Amino acid sequence: MSLYRFKISSLCRYYSQTAAVVSNKSHPHGNTVDQKLPSFAKSLYVGNFVKAAFAINTKEVNLPKLDELFGVCVPKEFGGLELSSASVSEAYKRINFADLREYIAHGSVVKCINTTGTDEQKRKFLPQLASGECIASFCIYESKYGHDIQNTETKASQKNGKWVINGSKQWVVNGERADMFLVLAKTMDECNRPESEQNFFTAFLVKKSQNSGIKITSEGNHYNVTFKNVEADCILGSENEGHNCYTMLFNGDLLESSSATLGEVKSIVEKTSKNFHSHDRSSLIKLGKLNSHLYTMDCVLEFTSLLLDTYNPKSDYELILARLFVSETTRSCLNLLNDLGLSKKSFKYIENSLLFEGKSNLLPIVGALLGIQYAGQFMAEDVKQLRNPLMFPKYTLSHIMRIQRSLKNKPKLNHYIEKHLHPSLKKQALDLEYCLSRLQFGVQNMFINLGPDTCYYQMILERVNSVAMDLFALAAVLRRVSQKLYNSNTQLYPTELVFANVFCNSIREQCNQRVNEILDAPHNVVDPHYKIIGQNCFVEKSYFFEHPLKRNIF
């Protein structure tokens, strides 16, 4: 329970103070929102929806050879390929899934060095990392605390002017082959930590050698790495600011892992389709759902990479939504494959990778906090007025009218998205606009109902993020279909329209259900009731053991 509290509280501190807290302050649009670098994902929450993203054209993709994947993120001046996000995504769709972790761990360290390293560190390390001469991995997590890096026990202290590391790290990818480790170690004692800050650990780069004091032991697909009086080569970034590297490592592999997951599922479905000879209607429907899932995942990853290459947004929210959508849709695909009679051995590896992905439980909360933080900048003044209805009767009355329209399922549509899509997609454009209005209305009411405690209602935040994820995916599909229709030589392109229509109907239904739950929060949401049932199970179990004479013995 204490670990759970840390996750929620630390995420709130790191990613936002939440819009509910912001609601007591005034944030003029011009001072808080950078219009030159719009975040499409965040715009889902407010009225400044980035419709221009529908006009982004597909970029040319360069596919590197497998042995060149180590340098895809390294700048050309240091011997790397410096590929676009679209090229990186396509490259990882074709990678052998068994080799995925090695490349991802290496690439994540490269990104940290390229972002936070000094010019001297870049010149020293990046050329070796780009060529594959030096393989890198990271040592972050410990068995006792998992993602709770606040309580890391690995320490670094200065001896004779050098940093010396002592401690042990678990779940290290590619530990035996790696030549270099990025290590997070505590560099500030508990009593010296500033109350308002959590920057008390530092990121170090450590080169492996025979007499370096590094001991590596195998544990399944991962390795445990123990450091005993190991001298660090250098600090990456600044002292006591290792959280910057941790954030990059947490988010750094989202595009690559999502792309590789899609590539693996595609391969499995293609093999299944070749051996599929059935006139069974039920099986054909399942196969149709599988291909629909593959199409939507492909659209989401293409759209995400194009947004990254076009706008270069500072936020990772697009990547978070893409990863969550791919993970969730992949689970649906595996269930369908199982229903079609495919042996679990065929997709055991990818199923395990999804099952044991530690940060999957944190991403929805992180994403929701990023979204509502942005929404609060626009809704702050509105929420302030609605929380004081007697002081602002005119605005309160207009809000009541919006509530009435919402209850009648007829929200006001003023985005005019159909003007930015192919005429054949008018109905789908209106559905997207309807869902956007519902999400924005739901978020505003969430701020009003929950106030400053918004960030602590995990079940509500997950629903908000889920709606945003679905709308992000729907926008991606509509962009792809619209461009296909415009570029098609024929007037009709039925397959694309079918994909768009099926997915749009599904998203609208899900959006309605989840927004209604957000509006009913916190009292009419089922999650707290399940929690009570779970707690009662422990109470009954405790009572059973404390009163053995009252057991029914047969």
Side-chain angles (χ1 to χ4, degrees), residues 160-221:
N160 300 323
K162 295 183 178 180
W163 284 100
V164 177
I165 301 174
N166 285 281
S168 182
K169 297 289 186 179
Q170 280 73 38
W171 306 302
V172 179
V173 176
N174 199 33
E176 195 171 52
R177 189 185 172 193
D179 305 297
M180 175 194 294
F181 294 114
L182 190 160
V183 186
L184 289 186
K186 189 184 297 183
T187 48
M188 185 180 290
D189 294 332
E190 188 83 29
C191 57
N192 294 328
R193 293 183 195 172
E195 293 182 3
S196 60
E197 298 289 339
Q198 289 197 347
N199 294 335
F200 54 86
F201 54 88
T202 305
F204 296 92
L205 289 179
V206 179
K207 292 288 284 288
K208 188 168 66 176
S209 63
Q210 287 184 345
N211 301 318
S212 62
I214 299 175
K215 182 181 177 182
I216 300 173
T217 56
S218 175
E219 187 173 329
N221 295 327

Side-chain angles (χ1 to χ4, degrees), residues 83-371:
L83 295 182
S84 65
S85 297
S87 297
V88 170
S89 179
E90 286 300 319
Y92 273 86
K93 287 177 187 175
R94 291 162 172 77
I95 196 175
N96 185 347
F97 203 73
D99 300 328
L100 172 65
R101 295 177 182 226
E102 174 186 335
Y103 287 109
I104 281 182
H106 180 92
S108 297
V109 175
V110 168
K111 289 176 183 177
C112 287
I113 296 174
N114 192 41
T115 304
T116 64
T118 63
D119 292 339
E120 183 182 350
Q121 289 171 345
K122 292 177 185 178
R123 286 192 297 269
K124 180 178 179 181
F125 297 116
L126 289 182
Q128 301 174 34
L129 294 169
S131 64
E133 175 188 347
C134 179
I135 307 299
S137 188
F138 51 83
C139 301
I140 301 179
Y141 307 116
E142 300 179 9
S143 57
K144 285 186 180 180
Y145 305 108
H147 282 81
D148 182 5
I149 57 170
Q150 182 185 22
N151 293 307
T152 181
E153 293 182 352
T154 300
K155 295 182 179 180
S157 55
Q158 282 193 325
K159 292 182 180 179
N160 300 323
K162 295 183 178 180
W163 284 100
V164 177
I165 301 174
N166 285 281
S168 182
K169 297 289 186 179
Q170 280 73 38
W171 306 302
V172 179
V173 176
N174 199 33
E176 195 171 52
R177 189 185 172 193
D179 305 297
M180 175 194 294
F181 294 114
L182 190 160
V183 186
L184 289 186
K186 189 184 297 183
T187 48
M188 185 180 290
D189 294 332
E190 188 83 29
C191 57
N192 294 328
R193 293 183 195 172
E195 293 182 3
S196 60
E197 298 289 339
Q198 289 197 347
N199 294 335
F200 54 86
F201 54 88
T202 305
F204 296 92
L205 289 179
V206 179
K207 292 288 284 288
K208 188 168 66 176
S209 63
Q210 287 184 345
N211 301 318
S212 62
I214 299 175
K215 182 181 177 182
I216 300 173
T217 56
S218 175
E219 187 173 329
N221 295 327
H222 300 85
Y223 294 87
N224 298 333
V225 181
T226 303
F227 300 89
K228 187 174 181 180
N229 296 322
V230 177
E231 287 188 5
D233 286 71
C234 62
I235 287 178
L236 191 58
S238 302
E239 184 180 339
N240 297 325
E241 292 185 2
H243 182 263
N244 295 330
C245 281
Y246 174 69
T247 303
M248 276 183 277
L249 292 171
F250 186 83
N251 297 328
D253 65 343
L254 297 178
L255 180 64
E256 291 87 343
S257 59
S258 301
S259 302
T261 300
L262 172 58
E264 183 74 3
V265 177
K266 263 187 178 179
S267 177
I268 295 170
V269 172
E270 285 174 4
K271 291 176 184 177
T272 306
S273 301
K274 288 178 182 177
N275 301 321
F276 186 81
H277 300 286
S278 174
H279 297 289
D280 178 31
R281 183 172 178 271
S282 176
S283 297
L284 287 173
I285 290 174
K286 290 184 176 70
L287 198 60
K289 287 181 178 179
L290 275 171
N291 282 282
S292 179
H293 288 331
L294 291 176
Y295 183 82
T296 53
M297 285 192 286
D298 208 15
C299 290
V300 167
L301 288 178
E302 180 189 64
F303 190 51
T304 302
S305 59
L306 290 176
L307 287 172
L308 295 176
D309 290 333
T310 304
Y311 295 121
N312 190 25
K314 297 176 182 178
S315 165
D316 292 314
Y317 196 21
E318 285 80 7
L319 289 171
I320 290 174
L321 292 182
R323 180 58 189 161
L324 287 171
F325 183 81
V326 169
S327 297
E328 185 177 302
T329 310
T330 297
R331 291 188 180 93
S332 300
C333 288
L334 297 184
N335 290 334
L336 288 167
L337 289 168
N338 189 43
D339 291 343
L340 287 169
L342 190 68
S343 171
K344 281 203 170 186
K345 292 181 180 179
S346 305
F347 52 84
K348 183 178 180 180
Y349 194 86
I350 190 170
E351 187 176 48
N352 289 342
S353 72
L354 291 174
L355 183 63
F356 296 106
E357 186 183 33
K359 60 189 175 187
S360 59
N361 293 328
L362 295 178
L363 285 177
I365 308 301
V366 173
L369 291 174
L370 288 170

Side-chain angles (χ1 to χ4, degrees), residues 452-503:
D453 295 329
T454 300
C455 57
Y456 297 107
Y457 283 88
Q458 182 181 7
M459 64 279 189
I460 306 304
L461 293 176
E462 286 181 346
R463 283 167 171 80
V464 169
N465 190 74
S466 181
V467 177
M469 178 188 72
D470 285 344
L471 297 190
F472 182 75
L474 179 56
V477 170
L478 294 183
R479 187 210 72 88
R480 164 83 75 85
V481 174
S482 180
Q483 291 206 346
K484 286 279 186 180
L485 291 170
Y486 275 123
N487 297 333
S488 176
N489 294 326
T490 57
Q491 261 190 327
L492 294 175
Y493 206 80
T495 306
E496 302 286 343
L497 284 174
V498 169
F499 274 126
N501 196 45
V502 168
F503 189 63

